[in-house]
Amino acid sequence: MPIRITGMIGVTPPNSAATLHVIEGGLSPGYVVEAARAHEASGFDLVLVGYSSSSAEGFLVAQHAAAHTERLGYLIAHRPGFVAPTLMARKIATFDHLTGGRLAVHIITGKTDGEQEGDGDFTPKAERYRRAAEYLELMKLAWSSEKPFDFFGQFYRVQGAHSDVQPLQEPHPPLFFGGASDGALEMGARLCDVYAIYAEPLASTHERMVQFRARAAAFGRTPGFNVSVRPIIAPTEGAAWDKANKILAGMTGKKGWSRQEDVSGPVDNAGKRLFGFALEKDVHDERLWMPIARATGALGNTSCLVGTPEQVAAAILKYYRLGVGSFLIRGFDPFNDTVDFGRELIPRIKAGAVEIDRLEAAS
């Protein structure tokens, strides 16, 4: 299967050499273009455009970046509940056409209740997953219905709904989702295409994939998987470990996510899982390095793979052999790491995936 490499673009230049989050801090249109073009030139297939309750609006950020790139796709984080699902269906379909099919959507229901409340949503998280499922059902109806339709649900009701524009990608742009709660897994197994998880030890990753495939199979669906990880690479293994420890020492400033600045531990089930592995030991599977996850309370994508480009590519390809087809990789020095990954890491990952596929086909 073709491997897909995703990065992440921020909205302003980083303010430190060890950047954790990049989704807040105002907006620099020139930097958005510069970062997107760097990802495109480096061989990334997609870039994630994140979401917080104070950050610049992701669809507009991605539209600006897409207008200045040719091939790069955009994985836009979206929280159901703030926009009518019929309007969002048209918005997604419109974006898909305007960019020539360069869109994927990451469905999230919010990190914490406090963050949701910043956008005026006081719905409990378990209920947000049920609302998101209904939201996705209604969007899919808007994309697939040739005639006006009615919908009567617990959270949404429409009469005579219709969209003049359907997505360019068939049947619609890929829908990613994340989470480890029963509500997240139920929604994703039934309605989403790609399950996005943080990098965990290989054994637990395999177990999660087996369990989620079984959930999705109950709905007649075959899901894809994305693993998010922070590569830390250097010409020698010793230099890579030195670099990792230097980054860890620099994790003393702002986290870059205003509503998490005062949080000291995990805020969601996915973070709790990651934090648990970080407490077990520093290194899993030879080079999956967890001290930054422990130091930051596993607030987001903080598991790392440390080594030479050859070693880190080999580690990523072990997940590919499990059936993970998509990887979100980003560093702590966003722009320079993007360039380094494009020069040293991505070609090795993609060539390795092609060779794995060739050998499997031959056997």
Side-chain angles (χ1 to χ4, degrees):
M1 57 182 176
I3 197 167
R4 179 169 48 196
I5 305 296
T6 301
M8 183 173 186
I9 58 172
V11 291
T12 58
N15 56 16
S16 73
T19 302
L20 191 61
H21 295 305
V22 296
I23 59 174
E24 293 185 347
L27 179 64
S28 170
Y31 178 77
V32 169
V33 172
E34 184 182 21
R37 285 176 171 169
H39 279 84
E40 183 165 70
S42 296
F44 285 83
D45 300 296
L46 294 164
V47 287
L48 172 65
V49 181
Y51 183 109
S52 83
S53 60
S54 66
S55 59
E57 201 283 316
F59 274 85
L60 293 177
V61 169
Q63 186 68 56
H64 177 64
H68 293 86
T69 52
E70 297 179 358
R71 177 194 55 80
L72 188 67
Y74 295 87
L75 173 60
I76 305 175
H78 175 63
R79 292 186 184 178
F82 300 118
V83 178
T86 47
L87 172 58
M88 182 51 61
R90 300 195 303 275
K91 184 173 181 176
I92 289 171
T94 302
F95 190 105
D96 202 36
H97 275 275
L98 291 176
T99 60
R102 293 190 284 150
L103 174 64
V105 182
H106 184 54
I107 301 298
I108 52 177
T109 61
K111 277 282 185 184
T112 65
D113 290 344
E115 223 229 322
Q116 288 291 112
E117 290 165 4
D119 268 335
D121 184 13
F122 293 82
T123 309
K125 192 164 189 176
E127 190 172 317
R128 294 202 298 267
Y129 279 117
R130 295 196 301 273
R131 181 181 66 189
E134 194 171 291
Y135 187 100
L136 292 176
E137 289 177 14
L138 187 44
M139 281 207 308
K140 289 186 174 187
L141 275 173
W143 290 330
S144 62
S145 298
E146 296 181 358
K147 298 179 180 179
F149 66 92
D150 300 337
F151 182 94
F152 300 92
Q154 179 184 356
F155 302 96
Y156 299 102
R157 174 183 175 181
V158 298
Q159 288 185 262
H162 181 64
S163 177
D164 293 333
V165 57
Q166 276 70 48
L168 181 63
Q169 299 176 75
E170 296 181 353
H172 52 72
L175 298 176
F176 288 58
F177 86 102
S181 67
D182 284 340
L185 295 170
E186 175 71 14
M187 178 198 74
R190 186 161 60 91
L191 294 161
C192 296
D193 306 304
V194 180
Y195 184 21
I197 58 178
Y198 298 135
E200 297 180 357
L202 290 162
S204 69
T205 300
H206 175 67
E207 182 181 357
R208 291 185 80 182
M209 292 172 68
V210 169
Q211 292 173 349
F212 188 71
R213 283 191 182 111
R215 274 185 181 261
F219 300 102
R221 309 185 76 246
T222 303
F225 296 90
N226 178 90
V227 163
S228 298
V229 68
R230 304 260 194 163
I232 300 175
I233 59 173
T236 68
E237 184 173 5
W241 288 112
D242 289 344
K243 182 178 178 180
N245 285 304
K246 183 178 180 180
I247 292 170
L248 177 62
M251 285 291 155
T252 56
K254 289 185 176 295
K255 300 183 179 77
W257 198 331
S258 59
R259 292 181 183 271
Q260 293 188 10
E261 292 299 342
D262 297 326
V263 177
S264 59
V267 297
D268 56 14
N269 286 305
K272 289 174 184 176
R273 281 186 63 94
L274 197 65
F275 196 63
F277 291 115
L279 292 177
E280 283 182 15
K281 53 184 178 179
D282 285 353
V283 181
H284 297 260
D285 298 332
E286 189 177 7
R287 58 191 69 261
L288 181 64
W289 190 63
M290 308 301 283
I292 290 178
R294 185 172 63 245
T296 59
L299 296 175
N301 172 18
T302 47
S303 47
C304 306
L305 287 171
V306 182
T308 66
E310 294 87 353
Q311 290 170 331
V312 171
I316 286 174
L317 290 169
K318 289 179 181 178
Y319 292 94
Y320 183 73
R321 287 188 174 92
L322 295 180
V324 178
S326 179
F327 295 88
L328 193 156
I329 60 171
R330 60 189 180 106
F332 296 97
D333 182 357
F335 190 88
N336 291 324
D337 283 340
T338 295
V339 176
D340 285 347
F341 294 164
R343 182 177 58 247
E344 302 290 347
L345 190 57
I346 292 175
R348 289 179 167 92
I349 294 171
K350 291 193 172 184
V354 169
E355 180 63 12
I356 290 169
D357 291 347
R358 186 189 69 79
L359 292 172
E360 289 184 353
S363 63

